[in-house]
Amino acid sequence: MPETSAPRLLGPAEVRELAARLDVRPTKQRGQNFVIDANTVRRIVRESGVAEGEVVLEVGPGLGSLTLALLEVGAEVTAVEIDPVLAAELPATIATFAPHQAERFRVVLADALSVTEIPGPPPQALVANLPYNVSVPVLLHLMALLPSLEHGLVMVQAEVADRLAAPPGSKTYGVPSAKAAWFADVRRAGAIGRNVFWPAPNVDSGLVAWTHREPPTDQVSREEVFAVIDAAFAHRRKALRGVLRTLAGGAEQAEAALRTAGIDPLTRGEALGIDEFVAIAVALHEAAAVPRGSA
């Protein structure tokens, strides 16, 4: 690193002192659980693979624990924070604990779930302790919004981590797994205990790492494929012929599209990967383009 003085990271005393001074009380509504262990944020940054000079998007920086660890490895950090009190304080915290890295930090007061642009240079990585109550929608929204993202690592509820990284056919495979696979190759990257947070959550946490992949098709839109995924898992124990009938315009049309896609109409959605969902969407799209009764 070019800086001669590394950032000081936040520990339990610093986190509680900052929270008390700001009169911040972590809320379940915003999924706020602040990391108080320096080794944990260093581990997150290490597992993320973020390199010196990379532009990193962080969501929900809170009091700045993970932010400081990202700055420590030489990253440039854009932090999106929904809480105006926390967002206003972050620059001062960075100036105090990482004065030599402060020029590589910017904060954006916004809701990551509805943000439409990220100021500054396009981020190459997403590293975040995501609010548990909106973790999947936020992750999918940012993957769709920012094609510049090449890789990332997020900390989420352990159960959600399992779902995001689940392969087709497994018990935890579902909508999050299938949709995330449109954007990236996803894997489970470890577990995080409850005692590294303040306040301690009632659930365990997991790390999910991902690497960007190009969209699996340009024949149909992402929205068309996601509509098939949503329909397939609306009644996950039912055969695709039945659950896709509304989308296809009838059970016979659904069966015809499935056969065109090379899929047994009695298959369940939980058995299919992203490429199979794409094939179904393409078949439905092509069938819709042919007028009824045409040869």
Side-chain angles (χ1 to χ4, degrees), residues 162-213:
D162 291 338
R163 289 175 182 170
L164 282 167
S170 64
K171 291 182 179 179
T172 51
Y173 182 71
V175 171
S177 334
K179 289 185 177 180
W182 170 278
F183 300 104
D185 296 315
V186 184
R187 64 178 176 85
R188 195 72 147 76
I192 300 291
R194 305 180 188 190
N195 62 339
V196 303
F197 295 96
W198 175 74
N202 296 322
V203 294
D204 294 322
S205 302
L207 300 178
V208 176
W210 56 271
T211 304
H212 173 78
R213 57 172 281 183

Side-chain angles (χ1 to χ4, degrees), residues 63-135:
L63 294 169
S65 298
L66 180 56
T67 313
L68 290 165
L70 288 165
L71 292 171
E72 185 180 47
V73 299
E76 182 174 338
V77 180
T78 299
V80 177
E81 175 58 59
I82 191 174
D83 189 315
V85 173
L86 296 177
E89 183 65 18
L90 272 167
T93 300
I94 302 304
T96 299
F97 288 85
H100 296 280
Q101 293 81 20
E103 65 180 14
R104 290 193 276 102
F105 170 76
R106 67 183 64 82
V107 62
V108 179
L109 176 61
D111 181 352
L113 192 55
S114 58
V115 68
T116 56
E117 61 179 353
I118 301 296
Q124 300 152 284
L126 169 65
V127 183
N129 172 18
L130 290 178
Y132 288 169
N133 53 344
V134 292
S135 55

Side-chain angles (χ1 to χ4, degrees), residues 16 23 37 60 118 121 145 148 150 154 205 217 219 229 233 235 249 256 263 274 276 293:
R16 289 188 172 91
D23 194 26
D37 180 62
I118 301 296
L145 178 69
S148 63
E150 299 169 3
V154 294
S205 302
T217 185
Q219 294 179 267
I229 293 171
F233 286 101
H235 303 281
I263 295 167
I274 187 62
E276 287 80 15

